Amino acid sequence: QVQLVESGGGLVQPGGSLRLSCAASGRIFSINAMGWYRQAPGKQRESVAVISSGGSTNYADSVKGRFTISRDNAKNTVYLQMNSLKPEDTAVYYCNADIKRLSWGQWSNYWGQGTQVTVSS
C-alpha cells in the first residue's frame, strides 16, 4: 500500500505565501517524477509543477516565477512553495507521483487526497 499525504493548504490573502508538502509512505522501492496539480471549481485538473528524480523542473506558465517545486528524496517528500498568491490560484491542490513498489515491479501512478488553497481578502 502506498499513500501520498498532502499538508500545508489554507486561507491566505492575495500576495501571501503558502508551502505545500506531500509525503509518500508505504512500501516504496523508487520514486520517479513527482508533481503538483490543481483543480478549481468547474474547471479541469491542471498541472502546476513537476520535478524529476534528478531535480529537473517544469512549471505551468501561470505560476512561473511565483511557485517553486522541490523534493527531498531521503524523505520521499515533494514541496511546493507558493509566493505572490493570486485569487485565481484558489483550487484543490493534488500531489502526484510515479512509484515503483518493488525492484522488479512496474511503475504506478498515485494521487494524494488533495488540500484546499484559498486566496482571498
Side-chain angles (χ1 to χ4, degrees):
Q1 188 81 1
V2 171
Q3 282 190 315
L4 299 181
V5 179
E6 301 108 332
S7 60
L11 173 65
V12 64
Q13 292 186 342
S17 298
L18 281 175
R19 188 191 194 211
L20 304 183
S21 299
C22 171
S25 63
R27 185 166 186 170
I28 296 171
F29 172 74
S30 181
I31 302 178
N32 197 359
M34 303 183 81
W36 290 95
Y37 293 72
R38 67 186 180 187
Q39 187 166 19
K43 294 187 177 182
Q44 289 188 331
R45 190 174 298 188
E46 62 175 357
S47 175
V48 175
V50 178
I51 185 167
S52 71
S53 58
S56 298
T57 59
N58 191 35
Y59 296 93
D61 288 342
S62 59
V63 307
K64 282 181 181 177
R66 301 188 297 122
F67 291 10
T68 302
I69 189 171
S70 61
R71 64 191 285 173
D72 185 332
N73 291 329
K75 296 181 179 180
N76 291 336
T77 299
V78 62
Y79 306 96
L80 186 67
Q81 178 66 43
M82 304 186 293
N83 299 328
S84 302
L85 282 161
K86 304 175 182 180
E88 50 263 45
D89 295 317
T90 296
V92 178
Y93 283 71
Y94 296 91
C95 175
N96 180 270
D98 291 325
I99 296 174
K100 184 183 286 190
R101 296 181 61 197
L102 300 169
S103 60
W104 61 88
Q106 294 182 334
W107 293 99
S108 296
N109 189 256
Y110 294 87
W111 289 93
Q113 81 287 354
T115 184
Q116 177 70 47
V117 171
T118 302
V119 184
S120 175
S121 55

